[in-house]
């Protein structure tokens, strides 16, 4: 998967543009409600990843970094052997593209596309 564009409020993944927060898991992108709180990712939000856990989870925290990732969420990822990396979404997009380019990469992502 490759992200070709990101700007405040929208992101383009493999040619499909989304106007909501996006979850990339197991080679699929979805903007369906994957988190209950628009400004926090809680441990329960990661439950859908455990069927095929990634090696790395890239979290885009928003254009201005407004999405919070509490320590309990980071700990839940580590307990499942997942390296969680967080950055404002523009930087997280670049990181995702680099990491996911490797042929055997197991990289998932959660991108907050607004604040």
């Amino acid at each position: 998967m490759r992200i070709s564009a990101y700007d405040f409020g929208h992101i383009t993944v493999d040619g499909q543009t989304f106007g909501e927060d996006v979850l990339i898991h197991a080679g699929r992108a979805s903007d369906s409600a994957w988190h209950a709180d628009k400004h926090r990712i809680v441990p329960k939000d990661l439950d859908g990843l455990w069927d095929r856990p990634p090696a790395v989870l890239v979290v885009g925290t928003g254009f201005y970094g407004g999405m919070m990732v509490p320590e309990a969420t980071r700990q839940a990822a580590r307990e499942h052997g997942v390296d969680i990396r967080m950055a404002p979404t523009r930087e997280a997009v670049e990181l995702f593209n680099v990491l996911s380019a490797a042929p055997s990469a197991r990289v998932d992502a959660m991108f907050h596309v607004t604040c």
Side-chain angles (χ1 to χ4, degrees):
M1 301 201 87
R2 179 145 180 81
I3 300 167
S4 59
Y6 167 68
D7 207 344
F8 189 94
H10 64 273
I11 190 167
T12 303
V13 182
D14 282 350
Q16 183 177 4
T17 300
F18 298 91
E20 299 286 335
D21 292 356
V22 170
L23 168 66
I24 297 174
H25 173 59
R28 301 181 89 127
S30 171
D31 63 352
S32 60
W34 51 269
H35 60 97
D37 184 328
K38 285 290 189 186
H39 295 102
R40 286 172 38 109
I41 297 175
V42 298
K44 183 175 175 28
D45 296 331
L46 304 181
D47 287 349
L49 304 181
W50 307 144
D51 62 329
R52 292 179 60 190
V56 178
L57 174 62
V58 176
V59 177
T61 59
F63 196 84
Y64 302 108
M67 172 73 81
M68 305 304 295
V69 185
E71 177 57 33
T73 305
R74 291 178 271 167
Q75 181 62 33
R78 289 191 295 265
E79 287 172 3
H80 284 85
V82 176
D83 177 12
I84 186 168
R85 301 191 190 179
M86 300 161 294
T89 299
R90 186 167 309 282
E91 294 170 38
V93 162
E94 293 174 18
L95 177 61
F96 176 82
N97 282 338
V98 168
L99 294 176
S100 65
S104 61
R106 290 183 9 251
V107 181
D108 286 355
M110 296 175 152
F111 293 110
H112 184 57
V113 297
T114 57
C115 59

